[in-house]
Amino acid sequence: MEVKGVKLKVLGRGAYGVVHLVETTSPCSGLFAVKSAPLTKSFSLSKEWEIFKKFIGCPNIVQCFGGFTSFERDGGYFYNLFLEYASGGSLLDLMNKYGGKIPECDVKDYARMILEGLVDIHNRGYIHSDLKPENILVFPSQTGSDLNTLKIADFGLARQCGEKRYSTTLGIWFSRYSRLYVTRICDGRNQWCIGYMVTRLHYC
């Protein structure tokens, strides 16, 4: 895939790369999010693309249109993920817009969207492992209603069910004392996290 366009601004920075808002002219015109990392440090992004392929067409998961390599004059070769752009920012941005909590009348619908995304992830044998408001993105309504559409993003830490990995205790939002240990991935972590997140949507 060859993508041509202009970087407009930085949308975010993380451990595995930088996300830019890009206005493209090829292979199609429009606004997209492009997540990039130096080619020598791109293993996580290339693995993320392989995971994204499993979720093509899932309505509550951010869609990835491909991975490609580019050359930047000031930085060498980069690996990039070509993602749909969330014009509404993240769920955390939406919460802050309402003073830290979502109106109670909307919490049920937003929780349903997140849960439907998690069902798609679990049905394909994966655990997200990093579910938090910053990794849930806000899109315009896809049903014609006034309510935004939420989609789960960022699969950099996603793992297959049953996979062994190193992890940290209480690693979501409020980790204070962390210990490194080996755990076998299961869906209990996300079940706990979704309960905490839904509570936080309105009561924090």
Side-chain angles (χ1 to χ4, degrees):
M1 172 187 288
E2 182 180 3
V3 176
K4 296 181 180 179
V6 178
K7 293 179 180 178
L8 301 180
K9 64 178 181 179
V10 174
L11 295 174
R13 300 178 185 273
Y16 299 103
V18 179
V19 182
H20 287 90
L21 174 61
V22 176
E23 185 173 12
T24 63
T25 56
S26 174
C28 57
S29 59
L31 295 176
F32 295 88
V34 176
K35 187 176 183 179
S36 308
L39 193 59
T40 56
K41 301 178 180 179
S42 64
F43 174 78
S44 179
L45 285 193
S46 60
K47 184 176 181 180
E48 192 172 358
W49 165 226
E50 293 302 316
I51 294 174
F52 267 120
K53 290 179 184 178
K54 311 289 185 181
F55 306 120
I56 293 174
C58 295
N60 293 110
I61 295 177
V62 169
Q63 296 297 287
C64 182
F65 306 110
F68 64 97
T69 302
S70 64
F71 179 77
E72 306 287 341
R73 292 182 179 179
D74 57 346
Y77 286 95
F78 284 77
Y79 185 79
N80 311 275
L81 292 182
F82 191 40
L83 303 156
E84 61 178 331
Y85 168 56
S87 58
S90 70
L91 179 57
L92 183 62
D93 296 326
L94 185 63
M95 292 166 65
N96 290 336
K97 176 182 176 181
Y98 287 106
K101 59 183 182 180
I102 301 294
E104 186 174 2
C105 58
D106 295 336
V107 169
K108 179 181 70 174
D109 291 316
Y110 284 142
R112 174 183 52 77
M113 295 177 195
I114 298 170
L115 286 168
E116 288 177 351
L118 280 178
V119 167
D120 283 330
I121 293 170
H122 293 173
N123 283 346
R124 287 159 176 78
Y126 283 87
I127 303 299
H128 187 276
S129 299
D130 195 22
L131 198 63
K132 56 187 178 182
E134 295 93 322
N135 288 339
I136 296 175
L137 302 186
V138 180
F139 292 80
S141 172
Q142 297 180 344
T143 62
S145 70
D146 294 331
L147 202 64
N148 297 294
T149 295
L150 300 186
K151 299 188 180 187
I152 299 172
D154 199 338
F155 287 80
L157 294 179
R159 298 292 187 273
Q160 288 184 293
C161 295
E163 180 180 345
K164 287 185 177 180
R165 61 165 291 187
Y166 286 93
S167 186
T168 55
T169 59
L170 299 179
I172 303 171
W173 285 330
F174 56 89
S175 176
R176 187 174 180 183
Y177 304 104
S178 294
R179 292 184 295 109
L180 195 64
Y181 71 105
V182 179
T183 183
R184 186 174 293 277
I185 297 299
C186 66
D187 63 0
R189 183 175 180 179
N190 279 346
Q191 289 172 352
W192 177 89
C193 191
I194 186 64
Y196 180 75
M197 186 185 304
V198 170
T199 301
R200 186 179 173 186
L201 283 177
H202 183 68
Y203 294 104
C204 290

PDB file of all heavy atoms in Angstrom, residues 53-87:
ATOM      1  N   LYS A  53      -6.668  -7.107  11.509  1.00  0.00           N
ATOM      2  CA  LYS A  53      -7.270  -7.845  10.394  1.00  0.00           C
ATOM      3  C   LYS A  53      -8.423  -8.728  10.855  1.00  0.00           C
ATOM      4  O   LYS A  53      -9.348  -9.000  10.087  1.00  0.00           O
ATOM      5  CB  LYS A  53      -6.213  -8.717   9.711  1.00  0.00           C
ATOM      6  CG  LYS A  53      -5.159  -7.963   8.927  1.00  0.00           C
ATOM      7  CD  LYS A  53      -4.159  -8.955   8.331  1.00  0.00           C
ATOM      8  CE  LYS A  53      -3.028  -8.260   7.618  1.00  0.00           C
ATOM      9  NZ  LYS A  53      -2.034  -9.232   7.073  1.00  0.00           N
ATOM     10  N   LYS A  54      -8.346  -9.179  12.109  1.00  0.00           N
ATOM     11  CA  LYS A  54      -9.381 -10.069  12.643  1.00  0.00           C
ATOM     12  C   LYS A  54     -10.706  -9.336  12.848  1.00  0.00           C
ATOM     13  O   LYS A  54     -11.752  -9.975  12.983  1.00  0.00           O
ATOM     14  CB  LYS A  54      -8.936 -10.659  13.985  1.00  0.00           C
ATOM     15  CG  LYS A  54      -7.544 -11.267  14.003  1.00  0.00           C
ATOM     16  CD  LYS A  54      -7.469 -12.551  13.228  1.00  0.00           C
ATOM     17  CE  LYS A  54      -6.081 -13.181  13.390  1.00  0.00           C
ATOM     18  NZ  LYS A  54      -5.950 -14.435  12.613  1.00  0.00           N
ATOM     19  N   PHE A  55     -10.661  -7.994  12.901  1.00  0.00           N
ATOM     20  CA  PHE A  55     -11.843  -7.224  13.289  1.00  0.00           C
ATOM     21  C   PHE A  55     -12.400  -6.359  12.162  1.00  0.00           C
ATOM     22  O   PHE A  55     -13.123  -5.397  12.417  1.00  0.00           O
ATOM     23  CB  PHE A  55     -11.505  -6.350  14.500  1.00  0.00           C
ATOM     24  CG  PHE A  55     -10.934  -7.122  15.651  1.00  0.00           C
ATOM     25  CD1 PHE A  55      -9.671  -6.843  16.139  1.00  0.00           C
ATOM     26  CD2 PHE A  55     -11.653  -8.156  16.227  1.00  0.00           C
ATOM     27  CE1 PHE A  55      -9.141  -7.563  17.195  1.00  0.00           C
ATOM     28  CE2 PHE A  55     -11.136  -8.886  17.280  1.00  0.00           C
ATOM     29  CZ  PHE A  55      -9.872  -8.590  17.767  1.00  0.00           C
ATOM     30  N   ILE A  56     -12.060  -6.694  10.929  1.00  0.00           N
ATOM     31  CA  ILE A  56     -12.594  -5.940   9.796  1.00  0.00           C
ATOM     32  C   ILE A  56     -14.116  -6.043   9.786  1.00  0.00           C
ATOM     33  O   ILE A  56     -14.683  -7.133   9.863  1.00  0.00           O
ATOM     34  CB  ILE A  56     -12.007  -6.470   8.472  1.00  0.00           C
ATOM     35  CG1 ILE A  56     -10.507  -6.171   8.411  1.00  0.00           C
ATOM     36  CG2 ILE A  56     -12.723  -5.844   7.270  1.00  0.00           C
ATOM     37  CD1 ILE A  56      -9.806  -6.780   7.210  1.00  0.00           C
ATOM     38  N   GLY A  57     -14.771  -4.899   9.736  1.00  0.00           N
ATOM     39  CA  GLY A  57     -16.228  -4.866   9.692  1.00  0.00           C
ATOM     40  C   GLY A  57     -16.915  -4.835  11.042  1.00  0.00           C
ATOM     41  O   GLY A  57     -18.139  -4.703  11.097  1.00  0.00           O
ATOM     42  N   CYS A  58     -16.157  -4.944  12.139  1.00  0.00           N
ATOM     43  CA  CYS A  58     -16.763  -4.887  13.475  1.00  0.00           C
ATOM     44  C   CYS A  58     -17.127  -3.431  13.785  1.00  0.00           C
ATOM     45  O   CYS A  58     -16.244  -2.564  13.811  1.00  0.00           O
ATOM     46  CB  CYS A  58     -15.801  -5.426  14.527  1.00  0.00           C
ATOM     47  SG  CYS A  58     -15.434  -7.185  14.341  1.00  0.00           S
ATOM     48  N   PRO A  59     -18.391  -3.129  14.034  1.00  0.00           N
ATOM     49  CA  PRO A  59     -18.837  -1.734  14.127  1.00  0.00           C
ATOM     50  C   PRO A  59     -18.336  -0.969  15.339  1.00  0.00           C
ATOM     51  O   PRO A  59     -18.341   0.263  15.322  1.00  0.00           O
ATOM     52  CB  PRO A  59     -20.365  -1.853  14.151  1.00  0.00           C
ATOM     53  CG  PRO A  59     -20.631  -3.223  14.676  1.00  0.00           C
ATOM     54  CD  PRO A  59     -19.521  -4.073  14.147  1.00  0.00           C
ATOM     55  N   ASN A  60     -17.914  -1.658  16.398  1.00  0.00           N
ATOM     56  CA  ASN A  60     -17.457  -0.960  17.597  1.00  0.00           C
ATOM     57  C   ASN A  60     -15.972  -1.157  17.862  1.00  0.00           C
ATOM     58  O   ASN A  60     -15.504  -1.061  18.997  1.00  0.00           O
ATOM     59  CB  ASN A  60     -18.288  -1.377  18.810  1.00  0.00           C
ATOM     60  CG  ASN A  60     -19.727  -0.899  18.705  1.00  0.00           C
ATOM     61  OD1 ASN A  60     -20.638  -1.695  18.518  1.00  0.00           O
ATOM     62  ND2 ASN A  60     -19.934   0.409  18.776  1.00  0.00           N
ATOM     63  N   ILE A  61     -15.235  -1.433  16.785  1.00  0.00           N
ATOM     64  CA  ILE A  61     -13.778  -1.509  16.841  1.00  0.00           C
ATOM     65  C   ILE A  61     -13.221  -0.624  15.731  1.00  0.00           C
ATOM     66  O   ILE A  61     -13.698  -0.666  14.590  1.00  0.00           O
ATOM     67  CB  ILE A  61     -13.282  -2.953  16.671  1.00  0.00           C
ATOM     68  CG1 ILE A  61     -13.763  -3.801  17.860  1.00  0.00           C
ATOM     69  CG2 ILE A  61     -11.760  -3.003  16.570  1.00  0.00           C
ATOM     70  CD1 ILE A  61     -13.399  -5.255  17.773  1.00  0.00           C
ATOM     71  N   VAL A  62     -12.240   0.213  16.069  1.00  0.00           N
ATOM     72  CA  VAL A  62     -11.632   1.098  15.080  1.00  0.00           C
ATOM     73  C   VAL A  62     -11.101   0.264  13.916  1.00  0.00           C
ATOM     74  O   VAL A  62     -10.462  -0.770  14.114  1.00  0.00           O
ATOM     75  CB  VAL A  62     -10.495   1.918  15.722  1.00  0.00           C
ATOM     76  CG1 VAL A  62      -9.674   2.634  14.661  1.00  0.00           C
ATOM     77  CG2 VAL A  62     -11.064   2.923  16.711  1.00  0.00           C
ATOM     78  N   GLN A  63     -11.366   0.719  12.703  1.00  0.00           N
ATOM     79  CA  GLN A  63     -10.949  -0.020  11.522  1.00  0.00           C
ATOM     80  C   GLN A  63      -9.564   0.416  11.049  1.00  0.00           C
ATOM     81  O   GLN A  63      -9.247   1.607  11.017  1.00  0.00           O
ATOM     82  CB  GLN A  63     -11.964   0.172  10.397  1.00  0.00           C
ATOM     83  CG  GLN A  63     -13.340  -0.396  10.730  1.00  0.00           C
ATOM     84  CD  GLN A  63     -13.309  -1.905  10.928  1.00  0.00           C
ATOM     85  OE1 GLN A  63     -13.176  -2.664   9.968  1.00  0.00           O
ATOM     86  NE2 GLN A  63     -13.425  -2.344  12.174  1.00  0.00           N
ATOM     87  N   CYS A  64      -8.756  -0.575  10.720  1.00  0.00           N
ATOM     88  CA  CYS A  64      -7.418  -0.339  10.184  1.00  0.00           C
ATOM     89  C   CYS A  64      -7.422  -0.781   8.725  1.00  0.00           C
ATOM     90  O   CYS A  64      -7.840  -1.895   8.412  1.00  0.00           O
ATOM     91  CB  CYS A  64      -6.378  -1.118  10.981  1.00  0.00           C
ATOM     92  SG  CYS A  64      -4.681  -0.861  10.428  1.00  0.00           S
ATOM     93  N   PHE A  65      -6.947   0.097   7.840  1.00  0.00           N
ATOM     94  CA  PHE A  65      -7.025  -0.163   6.405  1.00  0.00           C
ATOM     95  C   PHE A  65      -5.726  -0.706   5.821  1.00  0.00           C
ATOM     96  O   PHE A  65      -5.647  -0.945   4.617  1.00  0.00           O
ATOM     97  CB  PHE A  65      -7.441   1.113   5.680  1.00  0.00           C
ATOM     98  CG  PHE A  65      -8.710   1.712   6.223  1.00  0.00           C
ATOM     99  CD1 PHE A  65      -8.678   2.901   6.929  1.00  0.00           C
ATOM    100  CD2 PHE A  65      -9.923   1.065   6.070  1.00  0.00           C
ATOM    101  CE1 PHE A  65      -9.844   3.449   7.454  1.00  0.00           C
ATOM    102  CE2 PHE A  65     -11.091   1.601   6.589  1.00  0.00           C
ATOM    103  CZ  PHE A  65     -11.048   2.800   7.283  1.00  0.00           C
ATOM    104  N   GLY A  66      -4.717  -0.892   6.684  1.00  0.00           N
ATOM    105  CA  GLY A  66      -3.484  -1.487   6.185  1.00  0.00           C
ATOM    106  C   GLY A  66      -2.252  -0.972   6.899  1.00  0.00           C
ATOM    107  O   GLY A  66      -2.297   0.015   7.638  1.00  0.00           O
ATOM    108  N   GLY A  67      -1.152  -1.670   6.677  1.00  0.00           N
ATOM    109  CA  GLY A  67       0.142  -1.246   7.185  1.00  0.00           C
ATOM    110  C   GLY A  67       1.065  -0.977   6.013  1.00  0.00           C
ATOM    111  O   GLY A  67       1.009  -1.676   5.001  1.00  0.00           O
ATOM    112  N   PHE A  68       1.902   0.045   6.120  1.00  0.00           N
ATOM    113  CA  PHE A  68       2.786   0.383   5.011  1.00  0.00           C
ATOM    114  C   PHE A  68       4.063   1.033   5.535  1.00  0.00           C
ATOM    115  O   PHE A  68       4.111   1.552   6.652  1.00  0.00           O
ATOM    116  CB  PHE A  68       2.088   1.312   4.013  1.00  0.00           C
ATOM    117  CG  PHE A  68       1.725   2.667   4.571  1.00  0.00           C
ATOM    118  CD1 PHE A  68       2.544   3.766   4.371  1.00  0.00           C
ATOM    119  CD2 PHE A  68       0.557   2.839   5.307  1.00  0.00           C
ATOM    120  CE1 PHE A  68       2.214   5.013   4.893  1.00  0.00           C
ATOM    121  CE2 PHE A  68       0.211   4.084   5.827  1.00  0.00           C
ATOM    122  CZ  PHE A  68       1.040   5.171   5.619  1.00  0.00           C
ATOM    123  N   THR A  69       5.100   0.997   4.712  1.00  0.00           N
ATOM    124  CA  THR A  69       6.389   1.586   5.056  1.00  0.00           C
ATOM    125  C   THR A  69       6.567   2.901   4.309  1.00  0.00           C
ATOM    126  O   THR A  69       6.186   3.012   3.143  1.00  0.00           O
ATOM    127  CB  THR A  69       7.535   0.626   4.681  1.00  0.00           C
ATOM    128  OG1 THR A  69       7.343  -0.614   5.368  1.00  0.00           O
ATOM    129  CG2 THR A  69       8.881   1.198   5.084  1.00  0.00           C
ATOM    130  N   SER A  70       7.120   3.889   4.994  1.00  0.00           N
ATOM    131  CA  SER A  70       7.371   5.186   4.365  1.00  0.00           C
ATOM    132  C   SER A  70       8.779   5.651   4.708  1.00  0.00           C
ATOM    133  O   SER A  70       9.392   5.174   5.670  1.00  0.00           O
ATOM    134  CB  SER A  70       6.350   6.224   4.834  1.00  0.00           C
ATOM    135  OG  SER A  70       6.480   6.457   6.229  1.00  0.00           O
ATOM    136  N   PHE A  71       9.279   6.587   3.918  1.00  0.00           N
ATOM    137  CA  PHE A  71      10.593   7.170   4.180  1.00  0.00           C
ATOM    138  C   PHE A  71      10.429   8.642   4.509  1.00  0.00           C
ATOM    139  O   PHE A  71       9.819   9.394   3.745  1.00  0.00           O
ATOM    140  CB  PHE A  71      11.521   7.016   2.972  1.00  0.00           C
ATOM    141  CG  PHE A  71      12.881   7.635   3.187  1.00  0.00           C
ATOM    142  CD1 PHE A  71      13.829   6.994   3.971  1.00  0.00           C
ATOM    143  CD2 PHE A  71      13.191   8.868   2.633  1.00  0.00           C
ATOM    144  CE1 PHE A  71      15.074   7.562   4.191  1.00  0.00           C
ATOM    145  CE2 PHE A  71      14.436   9.446   2.845  1.00  0.00           C
ATOM    146  CZ  PHE A  71      15.379   8.791   3.627  1.00  0.00           C
ATOM    147  N   GLU A  72      10.923   9.044   5.676  1.00  0.00           N
ATOM    148  CA  GLU A  72      10.889  10.445   6.093  1.00  0.00           C
ATOM    149  C   GLU A  72      12.304  11.003   5.994  1.00  0.00           C
ATOM    150  O   GLU A  72      13.248  10.421   6.533  1.00  0.00           O
ATOM    151  CB  GLU A  72      10.387  10.559   7.538  1.00  0.00           C
ATOM    152  CG  GLU A  72       9.046   9.891   7.798  1.00  0.00           C
ATOM    153  CD  GLU A  72       7.895  10.662   7.186  1.00  0.00           C
ATOM    154  OE1 GLU A  72       8.080  11.865   6.890  1.00  0.00           O
ATOM    155  OE2 GLU A  72       6.817  10.065   6.994  1.00  0.00           O
ATOM    156  N   ARG A  73      12.449  12.117   5.318  1.00  0.00           N
ATOM    157  CA  ARG A  73      13.783  12.670   5.080  1.00  0.00           C
ATOM    158  C   ARG A  73      14.550  12.939   6.363  1.00  0.00           C
ATOM    159  O   ARG A  73      15.766  12.809   6.424  1.00  0.00           O
ATOM    160  CB  ARG A  73      13.675  13.966   4.271  1.00  0.00           C
ATOM    161  CG  ARG A  73      13.198  13.751   2.839  1.00  0.00           C
ATOM    162  CD  ARG A  73      13.156  15.060   2.079  1.00  0.00           C
ATOM    163  NE  ARG A  73      12.723  14.864   0.700  1.00  0.00           N
ATOM    164  CZ  ARG A  73      12.582  15.856  -0.167  1.00  0.00           C
ATOM    165  NH1 ARG A  73      12.832  17.111   0.202  1.00  0.00           N
ATOM    166  NH2 ARG A  73      12.185  15.594  -1.401  1.00  0.00           N
ATOM    167  N   ASP A  74      13.830  13.317   7.416  1.00  0.00           N
ATOM    168  CA  ASP A  74      14.517  13.673   8.658  1.00  0.00           C
ATOM    169  C   ASP A  74      14.568  12.534   9.664  1.00  0.00           C
ATOM    170  O   ASP A  74      15.076  12.709  10.770  1.00  0.00           O
ATOM    171  CB  ASP A  74      13.841  14.881   9.308  1.00  0.00           C
ATOM    172  CG  ASP A  74      12.360  14.635   9.576  1.00  0.00           C
ATOM    173  OD1 ASP A  74      11.817  13.657   9.033  1.00  0.00           O
ATOM    174  OD2 ASP A  74      11.762  15.423  10.329  1.00  0.00           O
ATOM    175  N   GLY A  75      14.047  11.361   9.290  1.00  0.00           N
ATOM    176  CA  GLY A  75      14.008  10.296  10.286  1.00  0.00           C
ATOM    177  C   GLY A  75      14.177   8.891   9.767  1.00  0.00           C
ATOM    178  O   GLY A  75      14.094   7.932  10.531  1.00  0.00           O
ATOM    179  N   GLY A  76      14.377   8.713   8.468  1.00  0.00           N
ATOM    180  CA  GLY A  76      14.575   7.381   7.922  1.00  0.00           C
ATOM    181  C   GLY A  76      13.267   6.665   7.628  1.00  0.00           C
ATOM    182  O   GLY A  76      12.236   7.292   7.361  1.00  0.00           O
ATOM    183  N   TYR A  77      13.295   5.342   7.718  1.00  0.00           N
ATOM    184  CA  TYR A  77      12.132   4.531   7.367  1.00  0.00           C
ATOM    185  C   TYR A  77      11.218   4.311   8.575  1.00  0.00           C
ATOM    186  O   TYR A  77      11.684   4.104   9.694  1.00  0.00           O
ATOM    187  CB  TYR A  77      12.586   3.183   6.813  1.00  0.00           C
ATOM    188  CG  TYR A  77      13.148   3.279   5.413  1.00  0.00           C
ATOM    189  CD1 TYR A  77      14.519   3.404   5.203  1.00  0.00           C
ATOM    190  CD2 TYR A  77      12.303   3.262   4.305  1.00  0.00           C
ATOM    191  CE1 TYR A  77      15.039   3.506   3.920  1.00  0.00           C
ATOM    192  CE2 TYR A  77      12.808   3.359   3.019  1.00  0.00           C
ATOM    193  CZ  TYR A  77      14.172   3.483   2.833  1.00  0.00           C
ATOM    194  OH  TYR A  77      14.676   3.590   1.559  1.00  0.00           O
ATOM    195  N   PHE A  78       9.901   4.364   8.296  1.00  0.00           N
ATOM    196  CA  PHE A  78       8.890   4.173   9.330  1.00  0.00           C
ATOM    197  C   PHE A  78       7.873   3.135   8.875  1.00  0.00           C
ATOM    198  O   PHE A  78       7.602   2.993   7.678  1.00  0.00           O
ATOM    199  CB  PHE A  78       8.150   5.487   9.625  1.00  0.00           C
ATOM    200  CG  PHE A  78       8.930   6.456  10.456  1.00  0.00           C
ATOM    201  CD1 PHE A  78       9.952   7.214   9.895  1.00  0.00           C
ATOM    202  CD2 PHE A  78       8.655   6.613  11.808  1.00  0.00           C
ATOM    203  CE1 PHE A  78      10.678   8.107  10.657  1.00  0.00           C
ATOM    204  CE2 PHE A  78       9.370   7.504  12.580  1.00  0.00           C
ATOM    205  CZ  PHE A  78      10.389   8.252  12.003  1.00  0.00           C
ATOM    206  N   TYR A  79       7.334   2.425   9.865  1.00  0.00           N
ATOM    207  CA  TYR A  79       6.190   1.549   9.606  1.00  0.00           C
ATOM    208  C   TYR A  79       4.947   2.271  10.107  1.00  0.00           C
ATOM    209  O   TYR A  79       4.960   2.888  11.177  1.00  0.00           O
ATOM    210  CB  TYR A  79       6.343   0.209  10.322  1.00  0.00           C
ATOM    211  CG  TYR A  79       5.240  -0.766   9.983  1.00  0.00           C
ATOM    212  CD1 TYR A  79       5.269  -1.482   8.784  1.00  0.00           C
ATOM    213  CD2 TYR A  79       4.164  -0.954  10.840  1.00  0.00           C
ATOM    214  CE1 TYR A  79       4.249  -2.367   8.460  1.00  0.00           C
ATOM    215  CE2 TYR A  79       3.145  -1.838  10.517  1.00  0.00           C
ATOM    216  CZ  TYR A  79       3.191  -2.542   9.327  1.00  0.00           C
ATOM    217  OH  TYR A  79       2.176  -3.406   9.001  1.00  0.00           O
ATOM    218  N   ASN A  80       3.853   2.204   9.335  1.00  0.00           N
ATOM    219  CA  ASN A  80       2.658   2.987   9.632  1.00  0.00           C
ATOM    220  C   ASN A  80       1.403   2.127   9.582  1.00  0.00           C
ATOM    221  O   ASN A  80       1.295   1.212   8.760  1.00  0.00           O
ATOM    222  CB  ASN A  80       2.498   4.117   8.607  1.00  0.00           C
ATOM    223  CG  ASN A  80       3.765   4.914   8.406  1.00  0.00           C
ATOM    224  OD1 ASN A  80       4.048   5.846   9.143  1.00  0.00           O
ATOM    225  ND2 ASN A  80       4.546   4.539   7.390  1.00  0.00           N
ATOM    226  N   LEU A  81       0.454   2.457  10.447  1.00  0.00           N
ATOM    227  CA  LEU A  81      -0.881   1.879  10.385  1.00  0.00           C
ATOM    228  C   LEU A  81      -1.846   2.956   9.913  1.00  0.00           C
ATOM    229  O   LEU A  81      -1.849   4.076  10.429  1.00  0.00           O
ATOM    230  CB  LEU A  81      -1.322   1.356  11.754  1.00  0.00           C
ATOM    231  CG  LEU A  81      -0.581   0.144  12.310  1.00  0.00           C
ATOM    232  CD1 LEU A  81      -1.183  -0.264  13.650  1.00  0.00           C
ATOM    233  CD2 LEU A  81      -0.619  -1.021  11.339  1.00  0.00           C
ATOM    234  N   PHE A  82      -2.671   2.612   8.945  1.00  0.00           N
ATOM    235  CA  PHE A  82      -3.613   3.526   8.298  1.00  0.00           C
ATOM    236  C   PHE A  82      -4.986   3.292   8.924  1.00  0.00           C
ATOM    237  O   PHE A  82      -5.643   2.286   8.654  1.00  0.00           O
ATOM    238  CB  PHE A  82      -3.610   3.213   6.801  1.00  0.00           C
ATOM    239  CG  PHE A  82      -4.315   4.196   5.930  1.00  0.00           C
ATOM    240  CD1 PHE A  82      -4.231   5.560   6.151  1.00  0.00           C
ATOM    241  CD2 PHE A  82      -5.053   3.750   4.843  1.00  0.00           C
ATOM    242  CE1 PHE A  82      -4.873   6.454   5.320  1.00  0.00           C
ATOM    243  CE2 PHE A  82      -5.701   4.631   4.005  1.00  0.00           C
ATOM    244  CZ  PHE A  82      -5.608   5.990   4.243  1.00  0.00           C
ATOM    245  N   LEU A  83      -5.430   4.223   9.804  1.00  0.00           N
ATOM    246  CA  LEU A  83      -6.613   4.011  10.637  1.00  0.00           C
ATOM    247  C   LEU A  83      -7.702   5.043  10.355  1.00  0.00           C
ATOM    248  O   LEU A  83      -7.415   6.164   9.912  1.00  0.00           O
ATOM    249  CB  LEU A  83      -6.227   4.112  12.116  1.00  0.00           C
ATOM    250  CG  LEU A  83      -5.132   3.165  12.609  1.00  0.00           C
ATOM    251  CD1 LEU A  83      -4.460   3.738  13.846  1.00  0.00           C
ATOM    252  CD2 LEU A  83      -5.722   1.800  12.911  1.00  0.00           C
ATOM    253  N   GLU A  84      -8.944   4.669  10.660  1.00  0.00           N
ATOM    254  CA  GLU A  84     -10.009   5.660  10.542  1.00  0.00           C
ATOM    255  C   GLU A  84      -9.846   6.715  11.634  1.00  0.00           C
ATOM    256  O   GLU A  84      -9.394   6.430  12.747  1.00  0.00           O
ATOM    257  CB  GLU A  84     -11.390   5.006  10.600  1.00  0.00           C
ATOM    258  CG  GLU A  84     -11.731   4.255  11.849  1.00  0.00           C
ATOM    259  CD  GLU A  84     -13.145   3.687  11.809  1.00  0.00           C
ATOM    260  OE1 GLU A  84     -14.016   4.285  11.146  1.00  0.00           O
ATOM    261  OE2 GLU A  84     -13.378   2.649  12.446  1.00  0.00           O
ATOM    262  N   TYR A  85     -10.209   7.947  11.294  1.00  0.00           N
ATOM    263  CA  TYR A  85     -10.003   9.090  12.175  1.00  0.00           C
ATOM    264  C   TYR A  85     -11.229   9.343  13.039  1.00  0.00           C
ATOM    265  O   TYR A  85     -12.350   9.440  12.531  1.00  0.00           O
ATOM    266  CB  TYR A  85      -9.683  10.324  11.338  1.00  0.00           C
ATOM    267  CG  TYR A  85      -9.730  11.628  12.092  1.00  0.00           C
ATOM    268  CD1 TYR A  85      -8.962  11.827  13.239  1.00  0.00           C
ATOM    269  CD2 TYR A  85     -10.542  12.671  11.648  1.00  0.00           C
ATOM    270  CE1 TYR A  85      -9.004  13.027  13.928  1.00  0.00           C
ATOM    271  CE2 TYR A  85     -10.585  13.880  12.325  1.00  0.00           C
ATOM    272  CZ  TYR A  85      -9.815  14.052  13.468  1.00  0.00           C
ATOM    273  OH  TYR A  85      -9.866  15.247  14.150  1.00  0.00           O
ATOM    274  N   ALA A  86     -11.005   9.442  14.343  1.00  0.00           N
ATOM    275  CA  ALA A  86     -12.084   9.716  15.297  1.00  0.00           C
ATOM    276  C   ALA A  86     -12.147  11.218  15.549  1.00  0.00           C
ATOM    277  O   ALA A  86     -11.375  11.753  16.348  1.00  0.00           O
ATOM    278  CB  ALA A  86     -11.844   8.962  16.597  1.00  0.00           C
ATOM    279  N   SER A  87     -13.064  11.891  14.886  1.00  0.00           N
ATOM    280  CA  SER A  87     -13.138  13.350  14.990  1.00  0.00           C
ATOM    281  C   SER A  87     -13.574  13.816  16.373  1.00  0.00           C
ATOM    282  O   SER A  87     -13.336  14.966  16.754  1.00  0.00           O
ATOM    283  CB  SER A  87     -14.099  13.907  13.933  1.00  0.00           C
ATOM    284  OG  SER A  87     -15.395  13.344  14.087  1.00  0.00           O
TER     285      SER A  87
END
